[in-house]
Amino acid sequence: MERGGTVLQSAPQTARPPSIPRWPLFPRSHNPPRSTGCGVARLRHGRCTPWVAEQLRYCCCLNKKRYLLVHKVVQHSMARVFSSGGPQETNLGSEEMRKDNFLIDCGSDQECVLGGIVALGKFDALHTGHRELVIQASKAGTPFLLSFVGIAEVLGWESRPPIVAQCDRKRVLSSWAPYCGNEVPLEYQVQFSVVRHLTPRQFVEKLSKELKVSGVVAGQNYRFGYKASGDASELVRLCKEYGLAAFIVSPVMDKNQRSYNGAYRSINSSDKGQVSSTRVRHALAMGDVDYVAELLGRKHRLVLSLDKQFYSQKRILVPRSCMLNQPPKDGAYYNCTVLVDDKLIGPASVVIDTENINIELDDESLEAQDITLDHQFIGIEFG
């Protein structure tokens, strides 16, 4: 894989002090609830797509601590926060109250984006191109990802499963720590409906005055603002005006260019050979898990809820309705690795058909029912 990451242009940080301390957005509790590693993403008005519903039902509702939905507060000093112990009340300053319906992932230490360097993008696949943005952010300060949720619902796009299961995103981001000065980047998710109608200037102003970031990193082809009216050069100009550092990074190119007879250009007209989520999705649809691993910089992990499963001695049968992210093409896959709640179980063969995922463990000493008893998720890594 050819490495990108050249910083093409940047705007120096001028109006803001050299470093801004980070502090908790929400007060810490003396006995914080124990995290299970999954987050909750609540959609507005209770509407969600089938795939999002699966995420909420099987994965995200298990731990509501990390994603804190801050409701719009008018003339009140209290806001309801959803934690693992249920709805709670917390004091917020006037600045925080202006974050209208922002969905915040504050991490287990409850520290947010204040003073950090945010990488901007959709971050669906968390592929090597996304990783390069975060690497550049880590070189300039404390790295964060700023991504948007609910885009398909707002724009009326067809519902489709995520490439990375919501409850698996923190594991992937943790694996990037060695590239980021041994610091794990945290993800800050914002409801797309909140920022959809912002002009480019309003968007940058929100980053500066409300989220109080100290800088941004974006790809060369990044578009932002209402109807994607702003480009990378305008981002640099506006960041300079608001005293934010801005770094524009060249794309990571796909060295192998397995275009499958030009299919990528028919899917995405802006494809110029760069690593993209579109390429990852198409490679999964073709069943080319080795190529998927090259694009992601890791093996693809399919996450299954253990809400429903059936056993024989060495076999585990899980309905497709329990999938929390996009699988590869239907077929037989060998040399797979099975994990249960992130605990390594061992090698296995996997067959995906129209109704079920069939997992056959290679180790004859393992009993399928004993492995999955009292656990929540099965992970399958391909290739």
Side-chain angles (χ1 to χ4, degrees):
M1 187 75 68
E2 183 178 343
R3 186 179 178 86
T6 304
V7 178
L8 300 179
Q9 59 182 139
S10 64
Q13 181 179 355
T14 57
R16 192 179 296 275
S19 63
I20 299 177
R22 298 162 59 200
W23 63 87
L25 180 60
F26 300 102
R28 298 175 188 268
S29 62
H30 295 290
N31 297 298
R34 184 177 182 272
S35 170
T36 60
C38 296
V40 62
R42 290 176 175 265
L43 297 183
R44 300 182 73 182
H45 310 303
R47 297 194 303 269
C48 59
T49 63
W51 278 101
V52 172
E54 289 291 324
Q55 293 284 71
L56 295 176
R57 179 182 175 190
Y58 293 122
C59 177
C60 300
C61 287
L62 296 174
N63 172 22
K64 301 178 182 178
K65 174 185 176 184
R66 298 192 178 192
Y67 288 80
L68 307 175
L69 181 58
V70 182
H71 292 265
K72 184 177 182 181
V73 181
V74 181
Q75 297 179 347
H76 290 283
S77 61
M78 305 294 289
R80 291 177 67 77
V81 175
F82 291 88
S83 73
S84 58
Q88 300 176 359
E89 299 289 339
T90 183
N91 286 301
L92 298 177
S94 59
E95 193 119 49
E96 283 75 24
M97 286 191 294
R98 289 199 297 270
K99 297 189 180 83
D100 178 10
N101 284 330
F102 265 29
L103 185 63
I104 306 171
D105 178 3
C106 291
S108 58
D109 58 2
Q110 295 186 350
E111 291 185 327
C112 292
V113 185
L114 304 172
I117 305 292
V118 294
L120 302 173
K122 292 170 65 176
F123 301 115
D124 183 12
L126 295 177
H127 53 59
T128 54
H130 295 149
R131 186 179 68 190
E132 188 61 37
L133 294 179
V134 178
I135 290 173
Q136 295 299 330
S138 70
K139 292 178 180 178
T142 302
F144 291 87
L145 288 76
L146 183 64
S147 55
F148 304 100
V149 295
I151 296 178
E153 183 188 42
V154 171
L155 299 181
W157 294 349
E158 181 182 358
S159 174
R160 59 184 182 180
I163 295 173
V164 182
Q166 181 69 34
C167 58
D168 197 34
R169 293 180 70 84
K170 285 189 178 293
R171 177 193 67 86
V172 175
L173 294 179
S174 296
S175 72
W176 290 0
Y179 302 93
C180 302
N182 292 322
E183 187 165 11
V184 177
L186 296 180
E187 186 172 23
Y188 188 100
Q189 293 186 324
V190 175
Q191 286 284 1
F192 178 68
S193 58
V194 176
V195 300
R196 179 188 182 188
H197 295 289
L198 295 180
T199 66
R201 174 177 294 277
Q202 290 171 331
F203 178 73
V204 173
E205 183 177 26
K206 202 173 192 70
L207 293 177
S208 174
K209 294 186 177 181
E210 295 192 16
L211 299 188
K212 296 186 181 298
V213 306
S214 60
V216 301
V217 176
Q220 185 177 356
N221 299 321
Y222 182 70
R223 309 288 303 193
F224 68 108
Y226 185 54
K227 295 186 176 180
S229 56
D231 59 12
S233 61
E234 186 170 8
L235 179 64
V236 171
R237 180 181 63 81
L238 288 171
C239 284
K240 183 176 181 180
E241 183 176 333
Y242 281 91
L244 304 179
F247 305 93
I248 304 303
V249 181
S250 61
V252 174
M253 304 305 292
D254 178 6
K255 184 177 180 180
N256 291 310
Q257 297 292 330
R258 303 185 196 179
S259 63
Y260 297 108
N261 298 321
Y264 292 131
R265 290 194 178 276
S266 64
I267 297 172
N268 184 1
S269 59
S270 64
D271 186 282
K272 295 180 174 60
Q274 72 273 21
V275 174
S276 66
S277 296
T278 299
R279 283 178 176 257
V280 175
R281 285 192 180 278
H282 193 66
L284 282 171
M286 298 296 295
D288 193 342
V289 293
D290 291 335
Y291 184 32
V292 172
E294 293 174 11
L295 296 170
L296 295 179
R298 64 184 184 278
K299 294 181 179 180
H300 178 63
R301 181 180 292 191
L302 175 64
V303 180
L304 309 171
S305 164
L306 286 176
D307 182 71
K308 297 178 182 178
Q309 69 278 333
F310 307 95
Y311 312 98
S312 62
Q313 184 176 0
K314 292 196 308 172
R315 293 175 181 265
I316 306 171
L317 185 68
V318 184
R320 289 182 70 103
S321 61
C322 293
M323 295 189 304
L324 300 182
N325 59 316
Q326 182 176 342
K329 178 183 177 181
D330 291 2
Y333 297 90
Y334 305 98
N335 301 318
C336 298
T337 302
V338 172
L339 306 97
V340 175
D341 290 349
D342 281 335
K343 178 182 178 182
L344 178 64
I345 299 302
S349 299
V350 176
V351 176
I352 302 175
D353 59 34
T354 57
E355 296 183 353
N356 301 295
I357 297 91
N358 303 271
I359 305 168
E360 183 172 357
L361 302 170
D362 290 354
D363 189 342
E364 296 183 357
S365 66
L366 297 175
E367 291 287 339
Q369 186 170 0
D370 294 339
I371 291 172
T372 58
L373 185 66
D374 296 327
H375 291 286
Q376 298 166 341
F377 304 105
I378 289 181
I380 303 170
E381 291 189 343
F382 295 85

